[in-house]
Amino acid sequence: METVEQLRDRLLARFPSAAVAAVTNPGAAAEHSLLLGAAQAREIAEFLRDDPVLRLDYCSNVTGIDWPEKEITDTVKSTVPDPAGGPSKVVETKTVRVEPGYLEAVYFLYSMALKHGPVIVRLRTANRTDAVTLPSLTPVWRSCDFQEREIFDLFGIVFSGHPDLRRLLLWDEFVDHPMRKDYVEPDDYEWEPTAHDEVLVRAKAHQAAVAAAAAAAPVPVVNPTSSAS
Amino acid sequence: MEMNASDIKHTPFPAAGTMTDAEREELRRHGILLTSLEELYNWGRSNSIWPIQFGLACCAIEMIAAATARFDIARFGAEIFRPSPRQADLMIVSGTVTKKMAPLVVRLWNQMPEPKYCIAMGACAISGGPFKQGYNVLKGIDRFLPVDIYIPGCPPRPEALLNGLIQLQEKIKGEKLTGPNAARHVRSDVNNEHPIPEYGAHDLVPSKNTALWSPPASPTT
């Protein structure tokens, strides 16, 4: 099968206006992927499915990734010659830039007909807050239906063109998307005899906050552990 | 048969007079069976417990294994898993109760006729288990239902389920039909329909039935 770079070049030749990039995986698995621009993703997906060399007729898995905003410090070393004629100095200039966060949907495509795969396709949203729409690939691969609904449920990516975009695992009244990195867990700790590790740390913090609130407002509390749960 | 509550003296088992178990056993060996209505009734009920047929997670696989020939729950008279709550006596909450599923479990319980019993099978049904501090798992079905038997394990083996069933049979055999300690199903003053929680923004509303369950108090406070 073609490498990701060959595939990218072929896609760019076929769709000259499309944004297609190869994302290499430096790890041992070497699962390189194609990053598609959202605008042409649907057309490219249909091409990947119907192309006689590829015939990627089966989407085995769709997963979501949350990439929060991150600060990156770039260090540039430059050599400054000493005007007095001495040895030149090496000066480090550090620039901090903020890489905006985005959400990503990753599709794993195989060919049942030609017995090859996977070809991994990524789609990225513009940001994590208001521009979180991606084109749905469910019309191309029927098996994306529930998986895109799960990503919508847990990551909050809105798939335009999905035939039935509802929450899959959580109930409709639920707000928030629990798989996002900035999701705040419900603070509903109760006393338990065997708390340990991280749960114990968080439960202690919760109990301390409850005790402080009870001390600040001297209202008779029936059971201090239940007041905030 | 008409029975007035005042006619019956509430003695510890056996209900029939002051006869001891040994004397009764002696009579039984001579072909005379002495019993009370209460004992006979409870014996019959405890050996024919029909569970409702529903499973929630991996514990259900063990429950299914308990119903197969190797473990054979039929030896204890509980092999008829009913697909309708209207025909069931026992709810085996076998597995993780998610917050999305919990209102439906409570609704099924409300649809079961008395006498009915509840077994919480496995760590998740008891307390939420490994998912306790997650966002979507109920921290134990006893927050919404009156649980009779807790079976620990993750998942409990079929033998553990059978042991839980035997414990439940013992509990049924000890039930009183009259008097102040009468069983729930013969009393008219006990309502065993429980409110069904609503779906909220992050949790069920209410998150627990305070009439049934209150959080454990910390021993330090």
Side-chain angles (χ1 to χ4, degrees):
Chain A
M1 209 180 65
E2 293 161 290
T3 64
V4 168
E5 285 77 14
Q6 288 168 331
L7 199 52
R8 175 198 60 197
D9 295 340
R10 202 148 72 84
L11 286 173
L12 283 173
R14 176 78 174 67
F15 301 95
S17 65
V20 181
V23 179
T24 48
N25 178 348
E31 295 224 304
H32 310 306
S33 53
L34 282 172
L35 177 63
L36 305 184
Q40 291 89 1
R42 174 75 190 276
E43 290 166 66
I44 294 175
E46 277 173 3
F47 172 78
L48 292 174
R49 185 190 61 186
D50 299 331
D51 183 63
V53 183
L54 290 169
R55 287 180 70 183
L56 299 166
D57 49 12
Y58 173 52
C59 177
S60 80
N61 182 35
V62 188
T63 188
I65 308 175
D66 180 15
W67 297 97
E69 198 177 84
K70 62 181 172 186
E71 276 191 0
I72 299 171
T73 311
D74 293 318
T75 312
V76 180
K77 282 187 184 174
S78 51
T79 327
V80 181
D82 193 359
S88 52
K89 285 180 191 167
V90 178
V91 180
E92 283 188 356
T93 22
K94 288 187 177 177
T95 46
V96 178
R97 64 190 163 94
V98 176
E99 197 183 82
Y102 50 87
L103 300 164
E104 197 171 74
V106 189
Y107 294 76
F108 294 76
L109 311 174
Y110 291 81
S111 174
M112 284 282 166
L114 302 178
K115 309 240 182 320
H116 63 209
V119 169
I120 303 167
V121 167
R122 294 165 183 256
L123 307 180
R124 283 180 188 168
T125 62
N127 60 33
R128 301 174 67 250
T129 48
D130 50 351
V132 289
T133 306
L134 288 180
S136 169
L137 299 188
T138 305
V140 184
W141 293 285
R142 188 68 181 80
S143 56
C144 299
D145 183 354
F146 274 23
Q147 313 227 18
E148 285 182 348
R149 277 179 63 189
E150 185 178 350
I151 295 170
F152 167 68
D153 188 351
L154 302 179
F155 288 94
I157 301 178
V158 178
F159 289 94
S160 64
H162 191 283
D164 181 27
L165 194 66
R166 287 177 292 134
R167 282 184 179 270
L168 180 70
L169 300 173
L170 295 159
W171 52 96
D172 292 338
E173 291 84 350
F174 196 86
V175 295
D176 268 347
H177 304 287
M179 290 291 275
R180 287 203 188 182
K181 301 278 187 194
D182 53 1
Y183 174 71
V184 180
E185 291 176 19
D187 191 21
D188 57 357
Y189 292 89
E190 292 155 357
W191 182 83
E192 56 177 316
T194 53
H196 53 85
D197 297 349
E198 201 182 339
V199 170
L200 179 61
V201 173
R202 287 199 226 142
K204 272 185 178 167
H206 169 79
Q207 304 294 1
V210 169
V219 184
V221 178
V222 180
N223 190 342
T225 53
S226 68
S227 56
S229 58
Chain B
M1 197 171 89
E2 277 292 315
M3 280 202 305
N4 292 321
S6 55
D7 294 343
I8 293 166
K9 261 171 67 181
H10 291 286
T11 50
F13 189 86
T18 54
M19 188 174 278
T20 64
D21 276 3
E23 286 168 327
R24 245 160 48 108
E25 189 60 20
E26 182 65 27
L27 282 173
R28 194 191 63 76
R29 267 189 278 149
H30 291 90
I32 300 165
L33 188 64
L34 267 184
T35 186
S36 64
L37 185 64
E38 184 175 274
E39 190 188 354
L40 194 64
Y41 176 76
N42 285 342
W43 170 81
R45 284 195 310 124
S46 68
N47 286 302
S48 169
I49 303 171
W50 291 5
I52 179 169
Q53 185 175 39
F54 91 117
L56 293 175
C58 29
C59 285
I61 304 297
E62 300 295 306
M63 182 176 74
I64 294 160
T68 56
R70 188 184 179 96
F71 299 100
D72 198 9
I73 204 169
R75 292 178 294 155
F76 306 95
E79 78 278 22
I80 306 178
F81 284 86
R82 300 310 296 185
S84 162
R86 303 288 186 200
Q87 302 166 351
D89 305 313
L90 168 65
M91 174 179 266
I92 303 175
V93 184
S94 52
T96 318
V97 189
T98 57
K99 285 172 186 168
K100 195 175 182 181
M101 192 67 189
L104 313 178
V105 176
V106 178
R107 189 184 299 276
L108 282 174
W109 172 262
N110 287 347
Q111 288 172 345
M112 284 165 62
E114 288 279 10
K116 57 185 171 185
Y117 303 92
C118 180
I119 288 180
M121 179 182 183
C124 297
I126 292 172
S127 70
F131 313 110
K132 180 165 177 146
Q133 291 303 339
Y135 52 86
N136 63 340
V137 173
L138 188 67
K139 296 177 174 59
I141 192 63
D142 54 359
R143 281 158 204 251
F144 290 110
L145 297 183
V147 175
D148 292 284
I149 302 289
Y150 296 84
I151 306 174
C154 188
R157 280 195 54 86
E159 293 94 325
L161 177 59
L162 295 180
N163 184 55
L165 185 67
I166 294 167
Q167 300 283 320
L168 181 65
Q169 288 181 331
E170 293 304 316
K171 185 170 180 171
I172 294 173
K173 280 173 184 159
E175 280 184 345
K176 297 273 173 280
L177 299 185
T178 52
N181 298 323
R184 192 175 63 210
H185 67 275
V186 292
R187 298 168 73 123
S188 55
D189 59 330
V190 181
N191 180 15
N192 203 27
E193 279 215 357
H194 296 298
I196 296 168
E198 302 278 333
Y199 295 124
H202 285 103
D203 202 349
L204 295 169
V205 183
S207 67
K208 53 188 170 278
N209 184 349
T210 43
L212 286 175
W213 189 89
S214 56
S218 165
T220 55
T221 53

Short mmCIF file of all heavy atoms in Angstrom, two decimals, chain B residues 73-126:
data_model
loop_
_atom_site.label_atom_id
_atom_site.label_comp_id
_atom_site.label_asym_id
_atom_site.label_seq_id
_atom_site.Cartn_x
_atom_site.Cartn_y
_atom_site.Cartn_z
N ILE B 73 -28.81 -22.80 39.41
CA ILE B 73 -29.58 -22.05 40.40
C ILE B 73 -30.95 -22.69 40.62
O ILE B 73 -31.63 -22.42 41.61
CB ILE B 73 -29.69 -20.57 39.94
CG1 ILE B 73 -29.92 -19.63 41.13
CG2 ILE B 73 -30.76 -20.39 38.89
CD1 ILE B 73 -29.78 -18.17 40.79
N ALA B 74 -31.34 -23.62 39.73
CA ALA B 74 -32.62 -24.34 39.88
C ALA B 74 -32.64 -25.19 41.14
O ALA B 74 -33.71 -25.50 41.66
CB ALA B 74 -32.86 -25.23 38.66
N ARG B 75 -31.47 -25.56 41.66
CA ARG B 75 -31.43 -26.32 42.92
C ARG B 75 -32.05 -25.52 44.05
O ARG B 75 -32.48 -26.08 45.05
CB ARG B 75 -29.98 -26.64 43.29
CG ARG B 75 -29.33 -27.62 42.35
CD ARG B 75 -27.90 -27.85 42.75
NE ARG B 75 -27.10 -26.66 42.57
CZ ARG B 75 -25.98 -26.41 43.24
NH1 ARG B 75 -25.55 -27.25 44.15
NH2 ARG B 75 -25.31 -25.32 43.01
N PHE B 76 -32.09 -24.20 43.91
CA PHE B 76 -32.64 -23.36 44.97
C PHE B 76 -33.96 -22.72 44.54
O PHE B 76 -34.45 -21.79 45.17
CB PHE B 76 -31.62 -22.28 45.35
CG PHE B 76 -30.30 -22.89 45.71
CD1 PHE B 76 -29.29 -22.99 44.78
CD2 PHE B 76 -30.09 -23.41 46.98
CE1 PHE B 76 -28.09 -23.59 45.10
CE2 PHE B 76 -28.90 -24.02 47.30
CZ PHE B 76 -27.89 -24.11 46.36
N GLY B 77 -34.51 -23.21 43.46
CA GLY B 77 -35.84 -22.79 43.04
C GLY B 77 -35.91 -21.41 42.43
O GLY B 77 -36.98 -20.82 42.37
N ALA B 78 -34.78 -20.88 41.98
CA ALA B 78 -34.79 -19.51 41.44
C ALA B 78 -34.40 -19.48 39.98
O ALA B 78 -33.79 -18.53 39.52
CB ALA B 78 -33.87 -18.62 42.27
N GLU B 79 -34.74 -20.55 39.25
CA GLU B 79 -34.27 -20.63 37.87
C GLU B 79 -35.19 -19.94 36.88
O GLU B 79 -34.83 -19.78 35.72
CB GLU B 79 -34.10 -22.10 37.47
CG GLU B 79 -35.39 -22.84 37.12
CD GLU B 79 -36.16 -23.34 38.33
OE1 GLU B 79 -35.94 -22.80 39.42
OE2 GLU B 79 -36.97 -24.26 38.18
N ILE B 80 -36.38 -19.52 37.31
CA ILE B 80 -37.32 -18.95 36.35
C ILE B 80 -37.09 -17.45 36.30
O ILE B 80 -37.65 -16.68 37.07
CB ILE B 80 -38.77 -19.31 36.70
CG1 ILE B 80 -38.88 -20.82 36.84
CG2 ILE B 80 -39.71 -18.81 35.63
CD1 ILE B 80 -40.24 -21.29 37.23
N PHE B 81 -36.22 -17.02 35.37
CA PHE B 81 -35.96 -15.60 35.19
C PHE B 81 -37.09 -15.02 34.36
O PHE B 81 -37.30 -15.42 33.22
CB PHE B 81 -34.62 -15.41 34.48
CG PHE B 81 -33.44 -15.63 35.39
CD1 PHE B 81 -32.92 -16.89 35.61
CD2 PHE B 81 -32.85 -14.56 36.05
CE1 PHE B 81 -31.85 -17.08 36.46
CE2 PHE B 81 -31.77 -14.75 36.89
CZ PHE B 81 -31.28 -16.01 37.09
N ARG B 82 -37.85 -14.12 34.95
CA ARG B 82 -39.02 -13.59 34.27
C ARG B 82 -38.66 -12.36 33.46
O ARG B 82 -38.00 -11.46 33.96
CB ARG B 82 -40.11 -13.21 35.28
CG ARG B 82 -40.58 -14.34 36.13
CD ARG B 82 -40.95 -15.55 35.34
NE ARG B 82 -42.09 -15.33 34.45
CZ ARG B 82 -42.64 -16.30 33.72
NH1 ARG B 82 -42.16 -17.52 33.77
NH2 ARG B 82 -43.66 -16.04 32.94
N PRO B 83 -39.10 -12.29 32.22
CA PRO B 83 -38.82 -11.09 31.43
C PRO B 83 -39.74 -9.92 31.77
O PRO B 83 -39.59 -8.85 31.21
CB PRO B 83 -39.04 -11.56 29.99
CG PRO B 83 -39.94 -12.73 30.09
CD PRO B 83 -39.75 -13.35 31.43
N SER B 84 -40.70 -10.11 32.64
CA SER B 84 -41.59 -9.01 33.01
C SER B 84 -41.47 -8.74 34.50
O SER B 84 -41.50 -9.68 35.31
CB SER B 84 -43.03 -9.38 32.69
OG SER B 84 -43.91 -8.53 33.40
N PRO B 85 -41.36 -7.48 34.90
CA PRO B 85 -41.27 -7.19 36.34
C PRO B 85 -42.55 -7.57 37.08
O PRO B 85 -42.51 -7.81 38.28
CB PRO B 85 -41.02 -5.69 36.39
CG PRO B 85 -41.49 -5.17 35.09
CD PRO B 85 -41.26 -6.26 34.10
N ARG B 86 -43.68 -7.65 36.37
CA ARG B 86 -44.95 -7.97 37.02
C ARG B 86 -44.95 -9.39 37.56
O ARG B 86 -45.78 -9.73 38.40
CB ARG B 86 -46.10 -7.81 36.02
CG ARG B 86 -46.19 -6.44 35.40
CD ARG B 86 -46.68 -5.41 36.36
NE ARG B 86 -46.89 -4.12 35.73
CZ ARG B 86 -46.94 -2.98 36.39
NH1 ARG B 86 -46.77 -2.95 37.69
NH2 ARG B 86 -47.13 -1.85 35.76
N GLN B 87 -44.08 -10.24 37.05
CA GLN B 87 -44.09 -11.64 37.46
C GLN B 87 -42.88 -11.98 38.32
O GLN B 87 -42.64 -13.15 38.60
CB GLN B 87 -44.09 -12.54 36.22
CG GLN B 87 -45.28 -12.28 35.32
CD GLN B 87 -45.13 -12.91 33.95
OE1 GLN B 87 -44.06 -13.39 33.60
NE2 GLN B 87 -46.20 -12.89 33.18
N ALA B 88 -42.10 -10.99 38.70
CA ALA B 88 -40.84 -11.28 39.38
C ALA B 88 -40.93 -10.99 40.87
O ALA B 88 -41.70 -10.14 41.32
CB ALA B 88 -39.73 -10.45 38.76
N ASP B 89 -40.16 -11.78 41.65
CA ASP B 89 -40.08 -11.58 43.10
C ASP B 89 -38.78 -10.91 43.51
O ASP B 89 -38.68 -10.36 44.60
CB ASP B 89 -40.11 -12.93 43.83
CG ASP B 89 -41.31 -13.75 43.44
OD1 ASP B 89 -42.40 -13.19 43.43
OD2 ASP B 89 -41.15 -14.95 43.15
N LEU B 90 -37.76 -11.07 42.68
CA LEU B 90 -36.41 -10.71 43.10
C LEU B 90 -35.75 -9.90 42.00
O LEU B 90 -35.79 -10.28 40.82
CB LEU B 90 -35.59 -11.99 43.37
CG LEU B 90 -34.09 -11.83 43.53
CD1 LEU B 90 -33.76 -11.02 44.76
CD2 LEU B 90 -33.42 -13.18 43.61
N MET B 91 -35.14 -8.79 42.40
CA MET B 91 -34.35 -8.03 41.46
C MET B 91 -32.88 -8.22 41.80
O MET B 91 -32.45 -7.82 42.89
CB MET B 91 -34.73 -6.55 41.52
CG MET B 91 -33.85 -5.67 40.66
SD MET B 91 -34.35 -3.95 40.75
CE MET B 91 -35.43 -3.87 39.34
N ILE B 92 -32.15 -8.88 40.91
CA ILE B 92 -30.70 -9.02 41.10
C ILE B 92 -30.06 -7.88 40.32
O ILE B 92 -30.05 -7.91 39.09
CB ILE B 92 -30.19 -10.38 40.61
CG1 ILE B 92 -30.91 -11.53 41.30
CG2 ILE B 92 -28.69 -10.49 40.84
CD1 ILE B 92 -30.54 -12.90 40.77
N VAL B 93 -29.59 -6.86 41.02
CA VAL B 93 -28.94 -5.74 40.34
C VAL B 93 -27.52 -6.19 40.05
O VAL B 93 -26.62 -6.09 40.88
CB VAL B 93 -28.96 -4.46 41.21
CG1 VAL B 93 -28.36 -3.30 40.44
CG2 VAL B 93 -30.37 -4.14 41.60
N SER B 94 -27.32 -6.75 38.87
CA SER B 94 -26.06 -7.43 38.55
C SER B 94 -25.20 -6.52 37.70
O SER B 94 -25.20 -6.63 36.49
CB SER B 94 -26.36 -8.74 37.83
OG SER B 94 -27.21 -8.49 36.74
N GLY B 95 -24.48 -5.64 38.35
CA GLY B 95 -23.50 -4.86 37.62
C GLY B 95 -23.59 -3.37 37.85
O GLY B 95 -24.34 -2.88 38.70
N THR B 96 -22.80 -2.64 37.05
CA THR B 96 -22.67 -1.20 37.16
C THR B 96 -24.00 -0.53 36.83
O THR B 96 -24.54 -0.73 35.77
CB THR B 96 -21.62 -0.72 36.15
OG1 THR B 96 -20.54 -1.62 36.18
CG2 THR B 96 -21.16 0.66 36.46
N VAL B 97 -24.50 0.28 37.75
CA VAL B 97 -25.71 1.06 37.47
C VAL B 97 -25.24 2.46 37.07
O VAL B 97 -24.77 3.23 37.90
CB VAL B 97 -26.63 1.13 38.69
CG1 VAL B 97 -27.94 1.76 38.30
CG2 VAL B 97 -26.86 -0.24 39.28
N THR B 98 -25.36 2.78 35.80
CA THR B 98 -25.00 4.13 35.37
C THR B 98 -26.13 5.07 35.77
O THR B 98 -27.26 4.66 35.99
CB THR B 98 -24.79 4.19 33.85
OG1 THR B 98 -25.98 3.75 33.23
CG2 THR B 98 -23.64 3.33 33.42
N LYS B 99 -25.79 6.34 35.84
CA LYS B 99 -26.81 7.33 36.21
C LYS B 99 -27.91 7.38 35.16
O LYS B 99 -29.04 7.70 35.46
CB LYS B 99 -26.16 8.70 36.37
CG LYS B 99 -25.37 8.81 37.67
CD LYS B 99 -24.58 10.08 37.77
CE LYS B 99 -23.71 10.06 39.01
NZ LYS B 99 -22.72 11.15 39.00
N LYS B 100 -27.55 7.04 33.91
CA LYS B 100 -28.57 7.03 32.87
C LYS B 100 -29.52 5.86 33.09
O LYS B 100 -30.69 5.94 32.74
CB LYS B 100 -27.90 6.93 31.50
CG LYS B 100 -28.82 7.26 30.36
CD LYS B 100 -28.05 7.27 29.05
CE LYS B 100 -28.96 7.66 27.91
NZ LYS B 100 -28.26 7.65 26.62
N MET B 101 -29.02 4.76 33.64
CA MET B 101 -29.84 3.55 33.80
C MET B 101 -30.64 3.58 35.10
O MET B 101 -31.70 2.94 35.17
CB MET B 101 -28.90 2.33 33.79
CG MET B 101 -29.59 1.00 33.67
SD MET B 101 -30.35 0.82 32.06
CE MET B 101 -31.28 -0.66 32.28
N ALA B 102 -30.16 4.29 36.12
CA ALA B 102 -30.75 4.21 37.45
C ALA B 102 -32.26 4.50 37.48
O ALA B 102 -33.00 3.74 38.12
CB ALA B 102 -30.00 5.14 38.40
N PRO B 103 -32.77 5.54 36.81
CA PRO B 103 -34.22 5.77 36.86
C PRO B 103 -35.02 4.58 36.32
O PRO B 103 -36.10 4.28 36.81
CB PRO B 103 -34.43 7.01 35.99
CG PRO B 103 -33.12 7.69 35.98
CD PRO B 103 -32.09 6.61 36.05
N LEU B 104 -34.45 3.90 35.33
CA LEU B 104 -35.16 2.77 34.74
C LEU B 104 -35.17 1.59 35.70
O LEU B 104 -36.15 0.85 35.78
CB LEU B 104 -34.50 2.39 33.42
CG LEU B 104 -34.22 3.57 32.48
CD1 LEU B 104 -33.53 3.11 31.22
CD2 LEU B 104 -35.50 4.28 32.13
N VAL B 105 -34.06 1.42 36.45
CA VAL B 105 -34.02 0.34 37.44
C VAL B 105 -35.05 0.60 38.53
O VAL B 105 -35.77 -0.32 38.95
CB VAL B 105 -32.60 0.21 38.03
CG1 VAL B 105 -32.56 -0.82 39.13
CG2 VAL B 105 -31.60 -0.16 36.95
N VAL B 106 -35.16 1.85 38.98
CA VAL B 106 -36.14 2.19 40.02
C VAL B 106 -37.55 1.97 39.47
O VAL B 106 -38.43 1.47 40.17
CB VAL B 106 -35.94 3.64 40.50
CG1 VAL B 106 -36.99 4.01 41.53
CG2 VAL B 106 -34.56 3.82 41.08
N ARG B 107 -37.77 2.31 38.21
CA ARG B 107 -39.09 2.12 37.61
C ARG B 107 -39.45 0.64 37.56
O ARG B 107 -40.57 0.25 37.87
CB ARG B 107 -39.11 2.72 36.20
CG ARG B 107 -40.49 2.76 35.58
CD ARG B 107 -40.42 3.28 34.16
NE ARG B 107 -39.88 4.62 34.08
CZ ARG B 107 -40.60 5.72 34.24
NH1 ARG B 107 -41.88 5.63 34.49
NH2 ARG B 107 -40.04 6.90 34.15
N LEU B 108 -38.47 -0.19 37.20
CA LEU B 108 -38.72 -1.64 37.17
C LEU B 108 -39.07 -2.15 38.56
O LEU B 108 -39.97 -2.97 38.73
CB LEU B 108 -37.48 -2.39 36.65
CG LEU B 108 -37.26 -2.38 35.14
CD1 LEU B 108 -35.95 -3.03 34.81
CD2 LEU B 108 -38.39 -3.12 34.45
N TRP B 109 -38.35 -1.64 39.56
CA TRP B 109 -38.63 -2.04 40.95
C TRP B 109 -40.07 -1.66 41.33
O TRP B 109 -40.79 -2.44 41.92
CB TRP B 109 -37.62 -1.39 41.89
CG TRP B 109 -37.92 -1.57 43.33
CD1 TRP B 109 -38.54 -0.69 44.15
CD2 TRP B 109 -37.63 -2.72 44.14
NE1 TRP B 109 -38.65 -1.20 45.40
CE2 TRP B 109 -38.10 -2.46 45.43
CE3 TRP B 109 -37.01 -3.94 43.89
CZ2 TRP B 109 -37.98 -3.35 46.47
CZ3 TRP B 109 -36.89 -4.84 44.92
CH2 TRP B 109 -37.37 -4.54 46.20
N ASN B 110 -40.48 -0.46 40.95
CA ASN B 110 -41.83 -0.01 41.27
C ASN B 110 -42.88 -0.87 40.57
O ASN B 110 -44.00 -1.00 41.06
CB ASN B 110 -42.02 1.45 40.86
CG ASN B 110 -41.29 2.40 41.79
OD1 ASN B 110 -40.87 1.99 42.87
ND2 ASN B 110 -41.14 3.63 41.39
N GLN B 111 -42.52 -1.44 39.42
CA GLN B 111 -43.47 -2.25 38.68
C GLN B 111 -43.58 -3.67 39.22
O GLN B 111 -44.48 -4.40 38.84
CB GLN B 111 -43.08 -2.28 37.20
CG GLN B 111 -43.34 -0.97 36.50
CD GLN B 111 -42.78 -0.94 35.10
OE1 GLN B 111 -41.97 -1.78 34.74
NE2 GLN B 111 -43.20 0.03 34.33
N MET B 112 -42.64 -4.06 40.08
CA MET B 112 -42.70 -5.42 40.64
C MET B 112 -43.73 -5.45 41.77
O MET B 112 -43.78 -4.54 42.59
CB MET B 112 -41.32 -5.83 41.17
CG MET B 112 -40.34 -6.21 40.08
SD MET B 112 -38.65 -6.28 40.65
CE MET B 112 -38.72 -7.56 41.86
N PRO B 113 -44.56 -6.51 41.82
CA PRO B 113 -45.52 -6.60 42.91
C PRO B 113 -44.87 -7.14 44.18
O PRO B 113 -43.89 -7.89 44.11
CB PRO B 113 -46.56 -7.58 42.37
CG PRO B 113 -45.81 -8.44 41.43
CD PRO B 113 -44.69 -7.63 40.87
N GLU B 114 -45.44 -6.79 45.32
CA GLU B 114 -44.98 -7.36 46.59
C GLU B 114 -45.41 -8.82 46.68
O GLU B 114 -46.47 -9.16 46.14
CB GLU B 114 -45.58 -6.56 47.75
CG GLU B 114 -44.98 -5.19 47.94
CD GLU B 114 -43.65 -5.21 48.68
OE1 GLU B 114 -43.10 -6.32 48.89
OE2 GLU B 114 -43.16 -4.14 49.02
N PRO B 115 -44.71 -9.70 47.39
CA PRO B 115 -43.44 -9.47 48.04
C PRO B 115 -42.29 -9.44 47.05
O PRO B 115 -42.25 -10.24 46.14
CB PRO B 115 -43.32 -10.67 48.98
CG PRO B 115 -44.11 -11.74 48.33
CD PRO B 115 -45.23 -11.06 47.64
N LYS B 116 -41.37 -8.49 47.27
CA LYS B 116 -40.22 -8.37 46.36
C LYS B 116 -38.96 -8.12 47.16
O LYS B 116 -39.01 -7.54 48.26
CB LYS B 116 -40.46 -7.28 45.34
CG LYS B 116 -40.76 -5.92 45.92
CD LYS B 116 -41.11 -4.94 44.81
CE LYS B 116 -41.61 -3.63 45.34
NZ LYS B 116 -42.06 -2.72 44.29
N TYR B 117 -37.86 -8.56 46.59
CA TYR B 117 -36.56 -8.48 47.27
C TYR B 117 -35.53 -7.97 46.29
O TYR B 117 -35.70 -8.08 45.08
CB TYR B 117 -36.17 -9.85 47.83
CG TYR B 117 -37.22 -10.40 48.75
CD1 TYR B 117 -38.23 -11.22 48.26
CD2 TYR B 117 -37.24 -10.05 50.09
CE1 TYR B 117 -39.23 -11.69 49.09
CE2 TYR B 117 -38.24 -10.50 50.92
CZ TYR B 117 -39.23 -11.33 50.42
OH TYR B 117 -40.22 -11.76 51.25
N CYS B 118 -34.45 -7.44 46.84
CA CYS B 118 -33.41 -6.86 45.99
C CYS B 118 -32.04 -7.36 46.43
O CYS B 118 -31.72 -7.31 47.62
CB CYS B 118 -33.46 -5.33 46.07
SG CYS B 118 -32.22 -4.53 45.07
N ILE B 119 -31.28 -7.87 45.48
CA ILE B 119 -29.90 -8.28 45.75
C ILE B 119 -28.99 -7.31 44.98
O ILE B 119 -29.17 -7.14 43.78
CB ILE B 119 -29.63 -9.73 45.30
CG1 ILE B 119 -30.33 -10.73 46.23
CG2 ILE B 119 -28.15 -10.01 45.24
CD1 ILE B 119 -30.11 -12.17 45.85
N ALA B 120 -28.05 -6.68 45.69
CA ALA B 120 -27.02 -5.88 45.02
C ALA B 120 -25.83 -6.78 44.80
O ALA B 120 -25.18 -7.21 45.75
CB ALA B 120 -26.65 -4.67 45.86
N MET B 121 -25.58 -7.11 43.53
CA MET B 121 -24.53 -8.08 43.20
C MET B 121 -23.30 -7.34 42.69
O MET B 121 -23.37 -6.62 41.70
CB MET B 121 -25.05 -9.05 42.14
CG MET B 121 -24.06 -10.09 41.71
SD MET B 121 -24.76 -11.14 40.43
CE MET B 121 -23.42 -12.29 40.20
N GLY B 122 -22.19 -7.51 43.40
CA GLY B 122 -20.93 -6.97 42.92
C GLY B 122 -20.63 -5.58 43.46
O GLY B 122 -21.50 -4.86 43.94
N ALA B 123 -19.36 -5.22 43.33
CA ALA B 123 -18.86 -3.96 43.90
C ALA B 123 -19.58 -2.74 43.32
O ALA B 123 -19.87 -1.80 44.05
CB ALA B 123 -17.36 -3.86 43.64
N CYS B 124 -19.88 -2.77 42.02
CA CYS B 124 -20.50 -1.59 41.39
C CYS B 124 -21.90 -1.35 41.92
O CYS B 124 -22.28 -0.21 42.21
CB CYS B 124 -20.57 -1.76 39.89
SG CYS B 124 -18.98 -1.90 39.12
N ALA B 125 -22.70 -2.44 42.02
CA ALA B 125 -24.07 -2.27 42.48
C ALA B 125 -24.09 -1.86 43.95
O ALA B 125 -25.00 -1.17 44.40
CB ALA B 125 -24.85 -3.56 42.28
N ILE B 126 -23.07 -2.27 44.71
CA ILE B 126 -23.02 -1.93 46.13
C ILE B 126 -22.61 -0.47 46.32
O ILE B 126 -23.25 0.28 47.05
CB ILE B 126 -22.04 -2.87 46.87
CG1 ILE B 126 -22.58 -4.29 46.87
CG2 ILE B 126 -21.79 -2.38 48.28
CD1 ILE B 126 -21.61 -5.30 47.40
#
